[in-house]
Amino acid sequence: MDHLGFIAVVYGTTFAVIIALVVRTLSQGRDLASKVADKDKPWT
Amino acid sequence: MDAQTFNARVATPTTRLVGAMAIVSLAWVVIGGLFITPKDVDQGDAVRIMYVHVPTAWVAYLAFIVTAVASACWLLSRKHSMGFDRVAGASAEVGVVFMAMTLLSGSLWGRITWGTYWAWDPRLTTTSFLLVTYIGYLAVRGLGGSLEQRARRSAVIALLAVLEIPLVHFSVLMWRSLHQKASVLSGDGDIKMDGSMLTTLLVGVIGFTMTFAWLVLHRQRVLAMQDAMQMTQLDAALRERADESKGLK
């Protein structure tokens, strides 16, 4: 495959950033959910 | 008085379904984009960047439009529901990340096809200006004040900032640009693209849109809990102050 390095950086960076964002959002959510009462969480 | 319960769950069946659909679609993009789709006649393998670059750009636009719509809903609704403000904020956060990824992938694609990572081209310049505008929007959201003050000032900025999107999109038509014009949404209905390439691109758009939906749903819940904690802490501080003043009397 031509330009493999460029293509790998694009795919690698994009999916790494998405995974990092998902992990951060989930961990922040779980951390806060254990401190905030259920009455303030309409989805529970 | 009922005992307070603290359920640590943030996900719901809906967000799990959206997340699963996003994972399947994005797996298709990686496999299809890297191994199944053919090379482009002109660009060769560099065209594989398109399956990531175009969907991330689409999601960034979508995110900023959602921010504007939610902001308008907050301003126009009688109750000024903070839910609208939180969706606006969550969507802008995700949009900024996707816009930055678009610029990065575009820059690397540009190095292959144009021979340079960056040019002060109309599309690139307006896109970077859009990114800076929404970073400013997030900075304004982080300023102090009440939740209502935050919602009001950020809603006004969001409604002004979204006007940049047509400028970015049509910049390639209005000025001479290195960036190619729209291939799929060209308006004449003639899509000059191989079937597997078009399918992978469309699955990419769906997959990244699902990812955006999942992130916004979860992120606005995080913001709701942060706001709730802020209000609880404020109530506690006010009670403490009131108790102090009673003690002085």
Side-chain angles (χ1 to χ4, degrees):
Chain A
M1 192 184 287
D2 303 328
H3 313 296
L4 182 61
F6 286 95
I7 296 166
V9 170
V10 168
Y11 276 70
T13 311
T14 302
F15 289 103
V17 168
I18 290 174
I19 290 167
L21 204 56
V22 166
V23 170
R24 180 175 171 269
T25 304
L26 279 177
S27 68
Q28 258 189 333
R30 283 176 187 152
D31 181 44
L32 282 165
S34 61
K35 294 173 187 162
V36 174
D38 286 353
K39 67 177 174 59
D40 292 320
K41 293 179 283 189
W43 60 91
T44 54
Chain B
M1 191 175 160
D2 293 336
Q4 286 193 337
T5 53
F6 296 86
N7 188 340
R9 196 164 50 86
V10 186
T12 53
T14 308
T15 58
R16 285 200 189 97
L17 179 67
V18 171
M21 287 166 71
I23 289 169
V24 171
S25 308
L26 294 183
W28 180 325
V29 172
V30 173
I31 295 165
L34 293 178
F35 305 110
I36 296 173
T37 52
K39 289 182 182 183
D40 182 68
V41 176
D42 297 320
Q43 298 197 30
D45 285 310
V47 77
R48 300 185 192 286
I49 294 175
M50 172 182 73
Y51 307 117
V52 169
H53 178 74
V54 173
T56 52
W58 149 255
V59 166
Y61 284 174
L62 176 68
F64 299 150
I65 291 168
V66 168
T67 297
V69 171
S71 299
C73 288
W74 186 87
L75 282 170
L76 296 174
S77 65
R78 279 188 189 172
K79 286 176 69 180
H80 289 313
S81 166
M82 294 311 295
F84 288 128
D85 173 63
R86 288 191 283 265
V87 168
S91 188
E93 286 178 7
V94 178
V96 163
V97 174
F98 276 77
M99 190 96 275
M101 290 195 293
T102 304
L103 282 171
L104 175 71
S105 59
S107 174
L108 292 166
W109 199 0
R111 179 68 184 81
I112 299 170
T113 54
W114 304 337
T116 180
Y117 287 105
W118 185 262
W120 290 104
D121 165 89
R123 172 59 70 83
L124 276 64
T125 306
T126 51
T127 303
S128 53
F129 190 64
L130 185 67
L131 175 65
V132 171
T133 304
Y134 277 90
I135 290 173
Y137 167 86
L138 293 179
V140 167
R141 287 187 69 84
L143 295 174
S146 68
L147 297 182
E148 187 163 326
Q149 284 172 329
R150 178 189 74 186
R152 189 174 300 281
R153 67 186 169 220
S154 55
V156 172
I157 294 172
L159 290 175
L160 292 172
V162 77
L163 299 176
E164 286 178 42
I165 290 179
L167 186 72
V168 175
H169 188 71
F170 294 112
S171 60
V172 289
L173 300 174
M174 291 191 290
W175 296 290
R176 288 176 60 186
S177 176
L178 281 169
H179 197 283
Q180 76 169 69
K181 294 171 180 60
S183 309
V184 178
L185 298 174
S186 57
D188 60 5
D190 182 20
I191 303 169
K192 298 178 184 68
M193 197 181 286
D194 172 81
S196 65
M197 294 168 87
L198 184 61
T199 305
T200 305
L201 182 61
L202 292 178
V203 171
V205 168
I206 293 166
F208 279 88
T209 305
M210 292 289 172
T211 308
F212 162 74
W214 187 95
L215 284 167
V216 170
L217 283 168
H218 274 265
R219 188 70 196 140
Q220 62 92 21
R221 287 173 186 171
V222 168
L223 294 177
M225 291 187 285
Q226 283 175 343
D227 288 350
M229 275 194 77
Q230 189 183 327
M231 294 311 293
T232 307
Q233 285 165 355
L234 186 65
D235 288 345
L238 287 171
R239 265 199 310 275
E240 198 175 310
R241 191 64 193 263
D243 292 346
E244 274 175 18
S245 59
K246 275 180 198 166
L248 287 174
K249 281 179 185 173

